[in-house]
């Protein structure tokens, strides 16, 4: 494994997102002097916070899985996650509503989920579900240790016995047909394949190895931190400061000063020069590369984006996560990936106050409504489209069962692909570069540049999603500190 060369006594981390803070904790725990510089006034990055009228909204991810990865970051400085965060299981994980009027509650308990599948789709489908769980569990075991949770320097790093096993069980076949071997009902197929969109792909194009995303939420469980998702970076930042990390909020980094292939200082827009031995860059990869004067030369394919509605509402809620599926399915992906808005949308409605009522005034609810859209490569003018699409979103949400949603809104905030771009996200997508075969594993942009510049976040290895971003922070720290054999033994044995 390639490592940073030269001294690493003082590390500057640019960006207090989940990946940057994960790296900072591990570096501080190893005795490095760490300075984190963040342009916003609060830590969190994409896991940001918006407050308005007594409502607290998460502005980024809403689904938290694999909490052991959070616990491990705290453990690196000798802290217990339970002293900093309270994570409650989300039950059900989410509710899937279908165009025929049926619904399916998704559970992490295999027995409970099999009973639910049997109730909705019949006993044969429940048997198929159990076989599917065995498949994705094996997939997770093979992928995580050797291919996801590991720094990869070249394709030769993949030549392990587990690679042959992955091929043997069908991990390199297409996702949708592979799921179809186990699940025959259109509804369960959708429930366990829509996660391909997280990777920027259609389930008809994605490899079956991405069924591991379904394992992370549908089998391993979904949790919600009291205080919202933003509570995670707040807790990380608090633990980091306790252990000596200097957190500089509200300061924008203008550039990284380079001497040849070595970073020697970080310069803020106010002209402050912070000398350092190593730099960890957490902004979106193209932004990070521009900071070091090494723009991305390779043309990357970016994931679709989304239209996000945050609403404070008088409409009561009882389910935390609901996915509403339209009649169309393959056509949805064809439209989004072809640069068109969905004609028959499938979308997510999250109401975090169903789990934590403190996020809204008494008797009120907060809603997070996400509609997938094309990214800015599509010929859509969001300055014009944005207000029109809000009307369309509200009409669709009401048609799908949230009657009176529009009239019940007291606080409204929207985010379009143009807004994501203004926040520094390439091509206006919060989901970074798509996980095509040529942008996955050893082919994804590397996390080490020159002698001492390390990248973290969804744009680099291992990829998109809260678990992957947390791992990217650990992998970034490993580039500086070297492998931690005790981590591997406690994580995977």
């Amino acid at each position: 494994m390639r490592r940073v060369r030269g001294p690493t006594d003082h590390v500057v981390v640019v960006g207090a997102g989940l990946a940057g803070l994960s790296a900072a904790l591990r570096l501080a725990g190893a005795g490095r002097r760490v300075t984190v510089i963040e342009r916003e006034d609060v830590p969190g990055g994409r896991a940001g916070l918006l407050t308005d009228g007594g409502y607290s909204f998460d502005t980024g991810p809403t689904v938290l899985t694999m909490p052991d990865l959070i616990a491990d970051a705290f453990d690196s400085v000798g802290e217990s996650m339970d002293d900093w965060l309270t994570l409650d299981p989300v039950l059900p994980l989410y509710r899937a509503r279908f165009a025929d009027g049926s619904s399916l509650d998704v559970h992490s308990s295999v027995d409970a989920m099999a009973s639910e599948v049997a109730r909705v789709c019949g006993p044969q489908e429940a048997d198929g579900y159990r076989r599917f769980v065995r498949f994705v569990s094996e997939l997770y075991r093979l992928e995580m240790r050797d291919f996801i949770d590991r720094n990869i320097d070249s394709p030769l790093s993949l030549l392990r016995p587990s690679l042959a096993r992955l091929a043997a069980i069908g991990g390199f076949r297409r996702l949708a047909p592979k799921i179809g071997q186990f699940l025959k009902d259109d509804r369960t197929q959708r429930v366990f394949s829509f996660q391909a969109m997280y990777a920027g792909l259609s389930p008809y194009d994605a490899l079956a190895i991405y069924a591991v995303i379904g394992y992370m939420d549908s089998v391993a469980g979904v949790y919600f931190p009291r205080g919202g998702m933003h509570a995670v970076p707040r807790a990380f930042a608090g633990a980091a400061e306790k252990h000596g990390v200097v957190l500089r909020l509200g300061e924008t980094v203008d550039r990284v000063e380079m001497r040849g292939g070595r970073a020697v200082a970080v310069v803020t827009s106010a002209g402050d020069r912070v000398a350092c031995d190593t730099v960890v860059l957490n902004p979106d990869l193209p932004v990070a590369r521009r900071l070091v004067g090494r723009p991305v030369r390779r043309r990357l394919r970016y994931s679709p984006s989304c239209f996000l509605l945050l609403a404070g509402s008088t409409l009561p809620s009882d389910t935390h996560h609901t996915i509403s599926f339209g009649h169309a399915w393959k056509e949805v992906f064809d439209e989004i990936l072809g640069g068109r808005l969905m004609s028959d949308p499938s979308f997510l409605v999250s109401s975090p106050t169903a789990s934590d009522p403190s996020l809204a005034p008494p008797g009120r609810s907060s809603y997070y409504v996400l509609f997938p859209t094309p990214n800015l490569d599509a010929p859509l003018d969001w300055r014009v489209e944005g207000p029109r699409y809000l009307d369309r979103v509200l009409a669709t949400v009401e048609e799908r069962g949230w009657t009176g949603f529009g009239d019940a809104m007291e606080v409204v905030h929207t985010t379009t692909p143009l807004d994501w771009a203004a926040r520094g996200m390439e091509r206006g997508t919060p989901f970074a570069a798509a996980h095509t075969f040529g942008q996955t594993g050893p082919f994804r942009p590397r996390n080490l540049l020159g002698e001492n510049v390390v990248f973290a976040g969804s744009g680099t290895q291992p990829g998109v999603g809260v678990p992957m971003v947390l791992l990217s922070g650990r992998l970034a720290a490993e580039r500086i500190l070297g492998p931690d054999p005790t981590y591997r033994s406690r994580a995977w044995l």
Side-chain angles (χ1 to χ4, degrees):
M1 184 193 78
R2 289 183 58 212
R3 290 179 55 184
V4 162
R5 287 185 282 165
T8 60
D9 298 328
H10 181 208
V11 182
V12 171
V13 178
V14 178
L18 291 172
L21 291 170
S22 170
L25 283 167
R26 298 173 196 283
L27 293 166
R32 300 306 192 269
R33 183 162 65 94
V34 182
T35 302
V36 178
I37 304 176
E38 165 60 46
R39 69 177 179 181
E40 302 296 334
D41 294 329
V42 295
R46 297 186 194 191
L49 173 70
L50 187 154
T51 58
D52 187 359
Y55 294 91
S56 294
F57 299 102
D58 288 312
T59 61
T62 61
V63 177
L64 179 63
T65 63
M66 311 300 291
D68 285 352
L69 297 175
I70 298 173
D72 189 74
F74 282 111
D75 185 64
S76 68
V77 288
E79 296 286 339
S80 169
M81 178 180 72
D82 293 340
D83 292 335
W84 293 88
L85 279 173
T86 300
L87 300 183
D88 295 317
V90 175
L91 302 172
L93 309 184
Y94 50 89
R95 177 166 293 156
R97 292 185 183 177
F98 303 99
D100 65 359
S102 63
S103 66
L104 183 77
D105 282 356
V106 178
H107 304 279
S108 58
S109 162
V110 175
D111 289 340
M113 187 61 196
S115 295
E116 177 72 354
V117 171
R119 180 187 70 82
V120 177
C121 308
Q124 286 188 324
E125 193 73 356
D127 291 341
Y129 162 75
R130 289 184 183 276
R131 290 187 289 109
F132 173 74
V133 169
R134 290 195 289 272
F135 166 70
V136 293
S137 298
E138 175 72 353
L139 201 65
Y140 176 83
R141 187 186 68 80
L142 292 169
E143 285 187 60
M144 184 59 77
R145 178 169 180 166
D146 287 341
F147 304 111
I148 294 176
D149 191 11
R150 183 181 294 276
N151 276 305
I152 300 174
D153 290 320
S154 80
L156 295 177
S157 303
L158 301 181
L159 298 179
R160 299 172 176 272
S162 47
L163 182 67
R165 179 61 185 154
L166 270 177
I169 67 173
F172 299 106
R173 296 182 60 187
R174 297 299 174 187
L175 177 61
K178 185 63 183 178
I179 289 177
Q181 288 184 353
F182 307 100
L183 303 169
K184 306 305 180 183
D185 192 289
D186 176 72
R187 293 167 293 184
T188 52
Q189 289 178 355
R190 293 186 186 198
V191 163
F192 293 107
S193 69
F194 78 87
Q195 296 90 348
M197 184 60 77
Y198 298 160
L201 300 168
S202 161
Y204 300 92
D205 297 325
L207 297 177
I209 55 174
Y210 289 112
V212 75
I213 305 175
Y215 172 91
M216 290 178 180
D217 58 15
S218 303
V219 179
V222 172
Y223 298 82
F224 190 70
R226 291 185 195 172
M229 290 288 289
H230 185 72
V232 177
R234 279 202 310 270
F236 274 177
E241 287 190 300
K242 177 181 175 181
H243 290 272
V245 174
V246 175
L247 198 62
R248 297 172 55 163
L249 300 175
E251 298 187 39
T252 300
V253 170
D254 185 62
R255 62 188 175 89
V256 176
E257 184 180 320
M258 302 289 293
R259 289 182 189 163
R262 188 167 191 85
V264 296
V266 169
V267 181
T268 71
S269 56
D272 189 15
R273 182 180 182 275
V274 185
C276 58
D277 298 309
T278 304
V279 175
V280 175
L281 297 175
N282 190 196
D284 203 18
L285 187 70
V287 174
R289 291 289 296 251
R290 288 194 288 269
L291 289 176
V292 295
R294 309 286 199 279
V296 178
R297 293 187 177 88
R298 168 185 171 193
R299 181 169 176 79
L300 296 172
R301 174 180 161 186
Y302 283 87
S303 297
S305 184
C306 62
F307 179 95
L308 175 61
L309 165 65
L310 301 175
S313 175
T314 60
L315 192 69
S317 63
D318 61 357
T319 305
H320 193 129
H321 296 300
T322 302
I323 300 175
S324 176
F325 293 101
H327 289 281
W329 185 234
K330 187 176 187 299
E331 297 83 357
V332 166
F333 296 97
D334 291 342
E335 288 172 336
I336 294 172
L337 295 169
R340 303 184 303 278
L341 295 171
M342 296 179 290
S343 56
D344 183 12
S346 291
F347 57 91
L348 168 70
V349 175
S350 288
S351 184
T353 43
S355 296
D356 185 353
S358 72
L359 298 173
R364 300 294 193 266
S365 302
S366 64
Y367 285 90
Y368 176 111
V369 181
L370 186 149
F371 274 56
T373 70
N375 63 33
L376 291 181
D377 286 330
L380 296 169
D381 184 352
W382 282 101
R383 291 167 296 187
V384 175
E385 193 64 51
R388 290 197 306 226
Y389 201 62
L390 173 59
D391 292 339
R392 184 173 174 184
V393 164
L394 293 175
T396 304
V397 168
E398 296 204 13
E399 288 169 5
R400 299 285 182 87
W402 286 270
T403 306
F405 189 91
D407 290 339
M409 295 190 304
E410 297 181 320
V411 173
V412 181
H413 293 272
T414 61
T415 307
T416 72
L418 204 59
D419 298 317
W420 296 122
R423 298 177 191 176
M425 300 175 203
E426 189 71 14
R427 307 314 306 146
T429 174
F431 306 114
H435 281 262
T436 61
F437 179 79
Q439 296 178 178
T440 295
F443 309 113
R444 198 162 182 81
R446 308 278 176 84
N447 62 352
L448 180 61
L449 176 71
E451 296 181 19
N452 66 340
V453 176
V454 186
F455 301 107
S458 58
T460 187
Q461 298 174 3
V464 178
V466 172
M468 301 301 149
V469 165
L470 291 168
L471 284 174
S472 81
R474 193 192 67 74
L475 295 177
E478 190 179 80
R479 290 289 189 187
I480 299 166
L481 304 172
D484 176 2
T486 64
Y487 164 80
R488 293 209 170 273
S489 63
R490 68 178 181 267
W492 305 117
L493 291 185

